[in-house]
Each structure stands twice: as C-alpha cells, then as structure tokens.
Amino acid sequence: MNEPSGIRRECERAFARIAEGLVHYRHVHGNGASRPTLMMHASPASSRSVEPLALAVAQIGGGRVIAPDTPGNGDSVPLRQADPELLDYADAIVRTLDALAIERVDLYGFHTGAHIGIELAIAHPDRIGRLALDGLLWLEESERAEFLTHYAPPLVPDAWGTQIFQALQFIRDQSWFFPHFKRDPAHNLGGGAMPPELLHTLTVDLLKAAPSYHLAYRAVFRHRLAERLPKLTVPVLLMADDGDPTRESVRRAATLVVDARTAIGGEGWSPEGVRRKASRLLEFFGQAAER
C-alpha cells in the first residue's frame, strides 16, 4: 500500500472493563467526521487480523475505528457462560461500547465477527447505523453436528506441548482445505501455503486463547441463518472475496435480507485488496451518514 509519510502504521491498543473483566481492543482515529466503525474479526484470530483494514479506513477518510478482541480470543476475557451463544457475544460487545461511551457505530464483521454482528443488529438496531457482513457460514442441519464435533476441538495443554503442534496444524490446514478436517482433493482450496509470518501470527493468537477459542466457533455452528437473517432491519452489505470458501453462503444469505447490497469478489487481504475493501466500506457507510 502506498502511504504518505507520517501516516500511522499501527493501531493504538487499550482495554475496556466489563463485568467479566477486561476486553482488549485496537483503535485508530481517522480524519472523517462520520460515526465510529466497529470491526469484528474472524475466529480464531484477534483484532490484529483486521488492523490493516482499520488503518486503511482511517487513512482513506473514515472516522474512529474500534476493533475489539472477541471475548475469549486474543487478550479479551472469556464470557461467563460455559457454552455461550452469539447473542451472549453481542451483548458483551454492546457492554464494551457502553464502557467506551460509544452510542452508535457502523459495524464490519468478518466470518465469526459477521455472525456476531447479525445478532447485535437484531438485538440492538438502535446501536447500528449500517452492517457489513464479510463472509458467512451457512450450514445445513446434516452438517451442523459434523462441524460441532470436528472443526474446533479444545486445545488442552500437556507436558509434551502437543497443543502447540495442534494449533499450528489447525491454522495451516485452514489455508489448504475447507472444512480443514476434510483433507482430500474435493475440499482443497487450491490456494497454496499460508505465508510463514501469517502462520506464526495466527498460531500465537490461537495459543493465547487456547482454553476458550472454540466457544465462538461453536456458537457460529449453532447459528441458523435462515431464521435470523430476515429479522435484520438495518441496511446490510453482504461481502465475500473471490477466494473465500463461504462466498456461496453469502449469495444465499442475500436472498433473505431485505434490500441487501452484495459485493462478491476482491483480492482478499493483500495490500491492494484491503484498500479496495476499505473504500467499499466507506462508500457504504458514508451513504448511511447521509440518510
């Protein structure tokens, strides 16, 4: 990405306190006067994974961007529930916004973050201006039990450190197969190996959240989009990059959201892809500010 000299290249980091403890978040102040943008990351990563997009939004012309670590991921405290639902995560994010004295946001959610965003917008439509959903997982009932059983097993530390290798393989295989536990040609994504630096970063994020990372996944696997999507009342943009294995789910979801906009295609998380994604978000969110 070609950036002017003096432009910030990393977000500030801070914590907000909710009843369970501390929620870690990244944030950056842009030059725009629009309402804040809330960015929700995918599992099993942290807000570090959306930092390039947050910076791009701020640099191109957006206002303040806040990107929390999902509770139980990154450096955020887990929720109190033994097996939380997406609504529990959404409630924690609303309480985080309350702690930061933020009344209303435009929300961008990537994968797990998108599923949390749906429930947040349904439960608290007054807190959301517009909602951008980047990648969704649509599971048939016949698939749900399989994903719950095989996709995100708990990482249990042992004296041999096998959890470290399990975490590394989990992240590595996600770039090769979807779902990652079906390692055959029919489920090969054909995208090649993940860059070593990204593999390291995501593996470290996963290990930090080893005791609780799987809970958000399980909540997503129980999420029934056919029942929940029609309940959305805020303006929605449905997105998916060309290489996103959930892009067909996004197309299917678009048929259930009234007046949804769709944007299928893009270069993923390459520097140019991030900049184009940021421009697309600002165009969508900017129109919201005019309404």
Side-chain angles (χ1 to χ4, degrees), residues 11-17 22-28 38 47 64-69 75-76 96 99-100 102:
C11 293
E12 299 291 334
R13 300 175 63 184
F15 289 90
R17 183 173 292 279
L22 295 175
V23 173
H24 174 258
Y25 66 97
R26 286 173 164 84
H27 63 108
V28 59
L38 175 67
S47 57
R64 186 184 183 193
V65 184
I66 304 99
D69 292 354
D75 290 310
S76 287
T96 301
L100 297 175
I102 297 173

Side-chain angles (χ1 to χ4, degrees), residues 226-237:
E227 298 174 8
R228 305 305 290 167
L229 287 170
K231 297 182 181 296
L232 288 170
T233 59
V234 302
V236 175
L237 171 65

Side-chain angles (χ1 to χ4, degrees), residues 41 43-46 69-78 153-157 167 202-217:
H41 63 83
S43 292
S46 71
D69 292 354
T70 302
N73 290 85
D75 290 310
S76 287
V77 64
L155 287 177
V156 181
L202 293 177
T203 301
V204 170
D205 274 346
L206 173 54
L207 287 170
K208 289 170 69 174
S212 53
Y213 90 96
H214 60 292
L215 298 177
Y217 270 123

Side-chain angles (χ1 to χ4, degrees), residues 99-143:
L100 297 175
I102 297 173
E103 290 296 324
R104 201 160 184 248
V105 296
D106 291 321
L107 193 156
Y108 166 82
F110 183 52
H111 287 203
T112 295
H115 285 266
I116 295 172
I118 290 169
E119 293 306 313
L120 199 159
I122 292 172
H124 302 276
D126 56 314
R127 307 297 292 269
I128 304 298
R130 289 200 169 194
L131 177 64
L133 305 174
D134 193 349
L136 292 170
L137 180 64
W138 190 300
L139 292 179
E140 302 295 347
E141 291 306 313
S142 59
E143 300 173 296

Side-chain angles (χ1 to χ4, degrees), residues 137-256:
L137 180 64
W138 190 300
L139 292 179
E140 302 295 347
E141 291 306 313
S142 59
E143 300 173 296
R144 205 174 301 281
E146 183 180 36
F147 271 70
L148 283 166
T149 300
H150 298 294
Y151 198 98
L155 287 177
V156 181
D158 60 37
W160 297 274
T162 55
Q163 74 279 2
I164 297 172
F165 300 100
Q166 184 181 357
L168 179 69
Q169 182 173 320
F170 177 83
I171 297 296
R172 182 201 63 191
D173 286 356
Q174 283 189 335
S175 70
W176 286 347
F177 304 100
F178 184 78
H180 71 89
F181 56 85
K182 293 188 175 182
R183 303 178 185 91
D184 56 53
H187 295 88
N188 193 308
L189 296 172
M194 184 181 295
E197 297 82 5
L198 180 59
L199 176 61
H200 171 81
T201 296
L202 293 177
T203 301
V204 170
D205 274 346
L206 173 54
L207 287 170
K208 289 170 69 174
S212 53
Y213 90 96
H214 60 292
L215 298 177
Y217 270 123
R218 292 180 61 83
V220 169
F221 300 153
R222 291 191 295 268
H223 202 209
R224 288 172 168 78
L225 291 174
E227 298 174 8
R228 305 305 290 167
L229 287 170
K231 297 182 181 296
L232 288 170
T233 59
V234 302
V236 175
L237 171 65
L238 288 156
M239 309 167 61
D241 298 320
D242 286 328
D244 192 328
T246 74
R247 59 190 179 279
E248 293 306 318
S249 293
V250 170
R251 289 191 175 97
R252 189 172 180 180
T255 66
L256 295 177

